[in-house]
């Protein structure tokens, strides 16, 4: 009798152990599958994310035509007496041209990394800033010369001073009858000019006006001076 009970207990224990092992294998398999699936999903997400980088203006290849004739490699400027009438882009991309800003605006690359656009110009009147702005308006102007030197012979200071032309936002203070406009910088410069001794005092105003002259651009500005 005892031997029979022992055999029954042994069989029951084997069944319990087998059930535990089976359940453990099932749970482990499900967990492993979910982990693998998450890894694959995350890996695919990373690949997709890296496949389409952020679009920038540098990704635009720009060409042009004038009155239907293809232009040369030299892109026209705002003073050439041209007006854009349309912009056409490849691969479903789109953009508009601003004649006053002389640049592409409202650019939609349509998911493309590189976009080829052509601006179609026709003969017209040059853009006249005098007609397009009012006193108190703000305009963006960046001088061609980025850095220049103020010499020690002008300042009386022992070192030559390299000064950046950093002011880029200007306010219209006057509209002149000859079609020009007077601008004043919205901000003051953040860099100082060091003046020392008799030589520096003698050249004080001239040195400041020399700094103002660094903001002149041939063909665009007529004159400049320091105020304040």
């Amino acid at each position: 009798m005892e031997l029979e009970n022992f055999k029954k207990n042994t069989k029951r224990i084997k069944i319990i152990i087998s059930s535990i092992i089976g359940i453990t294998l099932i749970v482990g398999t499900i967990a492993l599958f979910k982990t693998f699936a998450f890894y694959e999903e995350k890996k695919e997400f990373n690949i997709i994310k890296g496949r389409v980088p952020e679009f920038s203006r540098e990704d635009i290849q720009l060409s042009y035509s004038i009155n239907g004739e293809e232009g040369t490699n030299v892109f026209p400027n705002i003073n050439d007496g041209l007006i854009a009438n349309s912009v056409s882009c490849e691969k479903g991309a789109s953009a508009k041209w601003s004649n006053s800003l002389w640049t592409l605006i409202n650019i939609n690359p349509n998911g493309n990394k590189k976009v080829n656009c052509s601006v179609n110009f026709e003969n017209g009147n040059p853009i006249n800033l005098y007609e397009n702005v009012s006193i108190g308006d703000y305009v963006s102007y960046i001088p061609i010369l980025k850095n220049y030197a103020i010499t020690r012979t002008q300042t009386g200071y022992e070192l030559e001073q390299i000064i950046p032309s950093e002011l880029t936002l200007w306010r219209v203070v006057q509209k002149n009858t000859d079609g020009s406009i007077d601008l004043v910088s919205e901000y003051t410069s953040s860099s100082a000019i060091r003046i020392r001794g008799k030589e520096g005092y003698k050249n004080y105003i001239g040195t400041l006006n020399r700094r103002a002259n660094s903001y002149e651009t041939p063909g665009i500005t007529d004159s400049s001076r320091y105020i304040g």
Side-chain angles (χ1 to χ4, degrees), residues 199-214:
E199 193 68 21
Y201 180 79
K202 182 177 68 174
N203 296 319
Y204 174 64
I205 297 299
T207 299
L208 294 178
N209 279 329
R210 172 176 165 78
R211 176 169 196 174
N213 292 344
S214 70

Side-chain angles (χ1 to χ4, degrees), residues 27-92:
V27 172
T29 301
I30 293 173
L32 182 63
F33 175 77
K34 287 186 175 181
T35 302
F36 178 76
F38 174 77
Y39 170 76
E40 285 297 312
E41 181 182 354
K42 182 174 178 58
K43 183 173 65 172
E44 178 62 20
F45 172 77
N46 289 338
I47 292 173
I48 293 175
K49 183 178 179 182
R51 191 179 297 153
V52 185
E54 184 178 353
F55 183 84
S56 67
R57 282 185 169 271
E58 288 71 22
D59 296 322
I60 298 176
Q61 184 69 34
L62 197 60
S63 60
Y64 73 98
S65 62
I66 300 177
N67 297 326
E69 296 185 7
E70 187 174 350
T72 63
N73 291 329
V74 181
F75 199 86
N77 63 54
I78 196 171
N79 297 313
D80 287 341
L82 300 172
I83 295 177
N85 55 30
S86 65
V87 178
S88 56
C89 300
E90 297 179 349
K91 301 177 182 178

Side-chain angles (χ1 to χ4, degrees), residues 79-120:
N79 297 313
D80 287 341
L82 300 172
I83 295 177
N85 55 30
S86 65
V87 178
S88 56
C89 300
E90 297 179 349
K91 301 177 182 178
S94 63
K96 294 183 179 180
W97 182 267
S98 170
N99 288 309
S100 59
L101 299 175
W102 207 252
T103 186
L104 285 176
I105 59 174
N106 299 338
I107 301 169
N108 179 7
N110 195 31
N112 297 300
K113 171 56 181 171
K114 299 290 183 181
V115 171
N116 296 323
C117 293
S118 177
V119 184
N120 305 305

